Amino acid sequence: MTKTTHGDLLLKNINAQAPFPICFADLEKAVAEKMEAGPFGYIRSGAGGEQTLRNNRAAFEKYSIIPRFLQDVSSIDTSIELFGKVHPTPLLFAPVGMNKMAHDEGELAVARAADQLKIPYIQSTVSSYALEDVAQTAPTATKWFQLYWSTNEEIAYSMAARAEAAGFEAIVLTVDTVMLGWREEDVRNQFSPLKLGYARGNYMNDPVFTASLPDDSFESYVQGVLQNVFHPTLNWENVRELKRRSNLPILLKGILHPEDAKLAIENGIDGIIVSNHGGRQLDGVIGSLDALPDIVKAVKGRIPVILDSGVYRGMDALKALALGADAVAIGRPFVYGLALDGQQGVEKVMANLYDELKVSIALAGAISIKGLRDITLVKKDGA
Ligand SMILES: Cc1cc2nc3c(=O)[nH]c(=O)nc-3n(C[C@H](O)[C@H](O)[C@H](O)COP(=O)(O)O)c2cc1C
Ligand SMILES: O=C(O)C(=O)c1ccccc1
């Protein structure tokens, strides 16, 4: 239970300290001024004409809440349970690769922030630091490993096994990035973090991967990553085999169609992440919040449904939870916090998101995450 009676959730941001950007737009502006065009454009942009990037935000803006009052909201419970473990907030860190682009301490800083905040951390396959180093620097954090399938399947199994051995508690298989989306900003800026070697953390010390290289030159590593990280052959049989080989819960990330959600359950999957990869993969795709209700209906509470893509404030998280998500994952906001102020920046961004969520739950007239499902929402297009 969290007390909401101190009245300082907002006001602690109004003090003598150096000001920190309070919302996503301010964050993005500050990072744009600080970072070079290449890495900033890589993080900010969406695929194609960025229709999906806009759809993500537009989906949240369609919903409004009709709040209830006079029901004592002095104490609220923001905890959730996932795979038998209780977490104090319904937030997660979405897997974001190559964090050295944003800060030298990269994933290490983010994982320490996750440990501090008690928010589960999902580490990317293409991270700048190895999963073993992340586990060591954030030993008590809840850590999940995001797996990109590999052209050489044995590399995928090897990474999944390493994650399990290092204490990661779930595997998140991303299904929407079997090849890179059509990202025009990166062409404009002539920028590829993959080619610059930012994604080598988990590959460099993978015994199966390194054994597959002709030599240990930088060029061989980069070529090896490029050859393996894109994997258009991925199919349901691979999913079943991964499930057979792992003892951990397995989630599929990037599900947008209710039929795929049903297939995930039929194939023994333990959870799904409704996501369009932050608008970075197929442009013209449905906003992830717009995809949520039909998926929640299809899943019928059998496995947890997590949502990401466009959750930029506490109120966005509230709307997703009210529409039936069990938790939400945050991508770009924490990366911007990392770019501005390392671990501290990540903590500030996530703490503000959480504080706004708490204020919003109470002001909407709910006292728990499950209770949010009973609040009244209206949708602009009348549906
Ligand atoms: C720079 C960047 C790198 C990302 N790398 C990965 C990744 O390695 N694996 C993955 O599954 N998703 C990756 N994503 C997608 C995020 O997990 C998440 O789906 C997305 O950022 C959510 O949208 P948001 O940024 O609007 O919160 C990445 C996103 C960004 C912005
Ligand atoms: O940039 C991304 O969104 C991403 O997920 C990715 C996927 C493969 C290689 C590098 C990054």
Side-chain angles (χ1 to χ4, degrees):
M1 286 303 228
T2 307
K3 284 279 170 203
T4 51
T5 43
H6 308 303
D8 62 355
L9 290 173
L10 175 72
L11 296 185
K12 71 187 177 197
N13 290 289
I14 301 174
N15 58 25
Q17 278 176 21
F20 191 80
I22 187 68
C23 71
F24 185 76
D26 296 357
L27 264 174
E28 194 161 77
K29 187 158 168 270
V31 177
E33 284 163 11
K34 181 171 175 173
M35 258 176 128
E36 287 184 27
F40 173 69
Y42 184 87
I43 295 164
R44 181 210 62 79
S45 66
E50 301 191 335
Q51 182 195 332
T52 300
L53 196 58
R54 292 188 295 275
N55 284 353
N56 283 339
R57 292 302 310 148
F60 286 98
E61 302 267 331
K62 277 182 224 159
Y63 286 97
S64 303
I65 307 292
I66 307 183
R68 301 295 303 271
F69 299 115
L70 300 158
Q71 311 186 87
D72 187 355
V73 291
S74 60
S75 195
I76 62 174
D77 179 4
T78 62
S79 70
I80 56 158
E81 194 188 315
L82 292 171
F83 311 122
K85 191 167 174 178
V86 175
H87 305 279
T89 87
L91 308 176
L92 291 90
F93 284 91
V96 171
M98 305 171 289
N99 287 352
K100 262 201 176 183
M101 267 190 295
H103 192 277
D104 237 25
E105 290 169 25
E107 291 83 10
L108 302 180
V110 183
R112 283 184 214 123
D115 208 348
Q116 200 64 36
L117 297 164
K118 305 284 163 236
I119 294 177
Y121 177 66
I122 311 180
Q123 185 178 352
S124 164
T125 284
V126 289
S127 49
S128 305
Y129 286 91
L131 63 94
E132 288 83 1
D133 296 335
V134 165
Q136 194 180 23
T137 202
T140 58
T142 297
K143 297 172 290 295
W144 296 357
F145 183 67
Q146 177 267 324
L147 182 66
Y148 274 134
W149 199 247
S150 267
T151 308
N152 174 354
E153 295 175 15
E154 295 305 324
I155 296 171
Y157 298 132
S158 171
M159 285 192 187
R162 281 168 57 203
E164 192 168 335
F168 285 68
E169 295 170 49
I171 301 287
V172 175
L173 179 70
T174 299
V175 299
D176 61 11
T177 307
V178 299
M179 60 193 77
L180 211 53
W182 192 257
R183 301 178 187 180
E184 298 178 358
E185 186 72 359
D186 299 340
V187 178
R188 255 176 237 122
N189 291 327
Q190 290 292 294
F191 183 79
S192 165
L194 283 172
K195 289 192 173 181
L196 294 171
Y198 281 110
R200 289 175 303 148
N202 286 317
Y203 289 96
M204 293 257 273
N205 61 352
D206 190 279
V208 182
F209 175 74
T210 49
S212 74
L213 300 180
D215 55 61
D216 61 4
S217 66
F218 176 81
E219 290 73 26
S220 293
Y221 276 119
V222 169
Q223 271 313 310
V225 171
L226 287 173
Q227 264 164 39
N228 276 289
V229 74
F230 305 119
H231 48 270
T233 58
L234 184 66
N235 62 71
W236 286 106
E237 179 49 33
N238 299 139
V239 169
R240 289 190 288 271
E241 184 60 22
L242 178 67
K243 182 72 198 159
R244 281 192 284 271
R245 292 206 194 195
S246 174
N247 301 304
L248 299 178
I250 298 190
L251 298 92
L252 298 185
K253 172 171 181 280
I255 298 293
L256 290 168
H257 203 296
E259 290 304 320
D260 280 343
K262 285 185 200 159
L263 277 176
I265 295 172
E266 282 167 26
N267 281 286
I269 287 299
D270 304 280
I272 58 175
I273 304 186
V274 175
S275 165
N276 55 34
H277 214 101
R280 305 164 64 78
Q281 282 302 104
L282 178 60
D283 192 35
V285 156
I286 186 170
S288 83
L289 190 75
D290 283 330
L292 181 68
D294 285 344
I295 291 182
V296 167
K297 214 185 282 170
V299 167
K300 297 195 193 99
R302 287 174 287 179
I303 56 173
V305 176
I306 297 165
L307 174 127
D308 80 21
S309 299
V311 181
Y312 293 161
R313 51 168 58 256
M315 198 57 206
D316 299 334
L318 182 148
K319 288 173 184 173
L321 296 162
L323 290 171
D326 295 291
V328 297
I330 310 298
R332 292 183 186 86
F334 88 74
V335 186
Y336 290 153
L338 177 67
L340 288 183
D341 198 12
Q343 176 185 345
Q344 265 201 49
V346 176
E347 288 182 21
K348 282 182 197 157
V349 166
M350 295 301 273
N352 270 333
L353 236 147
Y354 179 50
D355 284 345
E356 189 201 332
L357 174 61
K358 281 191 282 191
V359 168
S360 305
I361 292 171
L363 288 178
I367 55 164
S368 71
I369 302 302
K370 281 264 147 65
L372 283 176
R373 301 208 179 154
D374 299 327
I375 70 173
T376 306
L377 290 131
V378 287
K379 196 177 175 199
K380 226 183 258 165
D381 64 14

